[in-house]
Amino acid sequence: MADLSTDFLGIKSPNPFWLASAPPTDKQVNVLRAFEAGWGGVVWKTLGSQVKNVSSRYSSVDYNGTRIMGFNNIELISDRPLDINLREIKECVRLFPDRAMIVSLMADNSREKWHELISQVEDTGAHGLELNFGCPHGMTERGMGAAVGQDPEIARMVVEWVMEKATIPVITKLTPNVHSVVPTGKASVEAGTNALSLINTIQSVTGIDLDTLVPNPNVAGKSVFGGYCGPAVKPIALKMLTTISQDPTTRKVPISGIGGISTWKDAVEFMLLGATSVQVCTAAMKHGFRIVEDMCDGMNNWMDEKGFKTINDFIGKSVPNLTHWEDLDINYHIIAKISQDKCIHCGLCYIACEDGSHQSINLTQGMPYNTYTVKDEECVGCNLCKLICPVENCITMEVHRKGDEYLNWKEFQRKGLPLNDH
Ligand SMILES: Cc1cc2nc3c(=O)[nH]c(=O)nc-3n(C[C@H](O)[C@H](O)[C@H](O)COP(=O)(O)O)c2cc1C
Ligand code: SF4
Ligand code: SF4
């Protein structure tokens, strides 16, 4: 039985699964039910100045029969009174002292307002603070949320204000609505933040109702750019996380990974790329709190299988495996192989390779079905046919190196080696 317990800046939780700041964490009744279900921690829905929400608030991108592949919201920070939130946070900490209680904050743009909010939250006994520099809608118009996160110098100033006052660990949550998350991450670390979390939601228009011509979600005939999240954003979040894990300044602090995490596998991927804890929002909103049971079981089984005893044994292990294109080995070459036993003769690989790749699959007409084989000398090993084939392991990729030694692009040019004639 592996040990899933997590120590994030001294904040202990029985597992690395935290609920992200969002509706599942906006009130005591929910947070208590989440803790009962087994969540290791929560980031309480962002507290700040008083706001009013609109109706409707959510929309989605469904794909190929899957509901909510991507999720979009135009919701603001907590619209509940601050004193009620503070009272409820205190009660949750009292009832579940072994779970991580992080409170997300977005104060008005002044040092005094930040200091006031921080001392009110610290009085609840919360274990950490998360600075919401990422909210992409509603708050930016007031110079808050993503407006702070999109300008490294403003972020630096706000983190400095926070660090003057905070006595508990501070996590700065980054917005993905920038060319690179590194400059704001760096400025925040230089200003003293104890940790980083990412990503918040990505600005989006999820679609337009073709009857009313109004984009979704529809608020009395109008809409605004929303914040996109859910499984669709996971690859973008993983890329952004990697840049933070690789930068010499930002990699000095612990990272909480967020963005499209729905399963234990997703969580492990974030941790392999440097996250110490992971946060989940859309998956919990779609499937409910109990998904954490499968997440813990799955991670536990995988760790046992791999021989990892604690989560520190694998955090960041895949970071060095993401490198620069120039460093890739040009002599590594793979060729597709079609298993004639498994093939169902659908022809999808042939069409894809003919029209989308290198015309490397032979079609031999026959009765009752056609046969497909790979032209070894033509195949560039792009993977397209394997990705398209509907039969598991019917197409495998076999290694046929072009040379024994490692050869990168610079060496290739230096040696004046010939280009492809495909
Ligand atoms: C309805 C909704 C409300 C959210 N509210 C907040 C918020 O108040 N503060 C915050 O930092 N992030 C907020 N988020 C962003 C999430 O915390 C999280 O960063 C994002 O949804 C990505 O995670 P996911 O793909 O698991 O949903 C909200 C997300 C959703 C869907
Ligand atoms: S790997 Fe690419 S080039 Fe080779 S057969 Fe498949 S689709 Fe064609
Ligand atoms: S896609 Fe797969 S199953 Fe279909 S013809 Fe190609 S190899 Fe056979």
Side-chain angles (χ1 to χ4, degrees), residues 337-340 342-351 361 370-372 385-386 388-391 394-395:
K337 188 172 169 51
I338 296 174
S339 158
Q340 298 305 323
K342 293 191 174 148
C343 180
I344 57 168
H345 313 281
C346 64
L348 293 177
C349 58
Y350 174 77
I351 295 167
I361 296 181
N370 301 333
T371 314
Y372 302 92
C385 54
K386 177 180 157 67
I388 278 159
C389 177
V391 182
C394 175
I395 299 183

Side-chain angles (χ1 to χ4, degrees), residues 330-333 379 400-405 420 422:
I330 286 175
N331 269 342
Y332 179 75
H333 184 66
C379 175
H400 294 253
R401 289 189 65 88
K402 293 258 165 105
D404 290 339
E405 80 286 8
N420 290 345
H422 283 288

Side-chain angles (χ1 to χ4, degrees), residues 336 353 357-358 360-361 374 378-385 397:
C353 189
S357 194
H358 282 71
S360 314
I361 296 181
V374 175
E378 296 293 331
C379 175
V380 299
C382 70
N383 273 348
L384 182 65
C385 54
M397 306 303 294

Side-chain angles (χ1 to χ4, degrees), residues 280-328:
V280 178
C281 168
T282 302
M285 289 180 74
K286 185 176 172 192
H287 303 292
F289 294 142
R290 290 196 57 191
I291 55 167
V292 73
E293 291 170 20
D294 282 350
M295 287 178 159
C296 287
D297 286 351
M299 185 177 282
N300 190 19
N301 293 342
W302 176 78
M303 284 172 66
D304 282 350
E305 234 173 80
K306 302 294 285 181
F308 295 132
K309 296 207 164 15
T310 75
I311 59 165
N312 291 324
D313 293 348
F314 67 91
I315 289 172
K317 275 260 190 285
S318 297
V319 176
N321 294 339
L322 271 157
T323 182
H324 299 289
W325 193 91
E326 292 77 18
D327 296 327
L328 297 176

Side-chain angles (χ1 to χ4, degrees), residues 1 88 207 223 270 307 349 381 411:
M1 187 81 172
E88 292 187 357
S223 194
F270 275 75
C349 58
E411 278 298 293

Side-chain angles (χ1 to χ4, degrees), residues 106-150:
M106 188 195 287
D108 288 349
N109 253 348
S110 91
R111 171 190 261 126
E112 292 66 39
K113 289 281 181 206
W114 274 100
H115 285 192
E116 196 187 336
L117 191 56
I118 289 166
S119 67
Q120 285 170 311
V121 171
E122 288 199 354
D123 285 345
T124 63
H127 308 118
L129 307 171
E130 185 178 80
L131 313 183
N132 180 351
F133 288 174
C135 201
H137 41 257
M139 310 312 290
T140 38
E141 292 81 342
R142 306 185 198 179
M144 293 184 259
V148 178
Q150 282 165 342

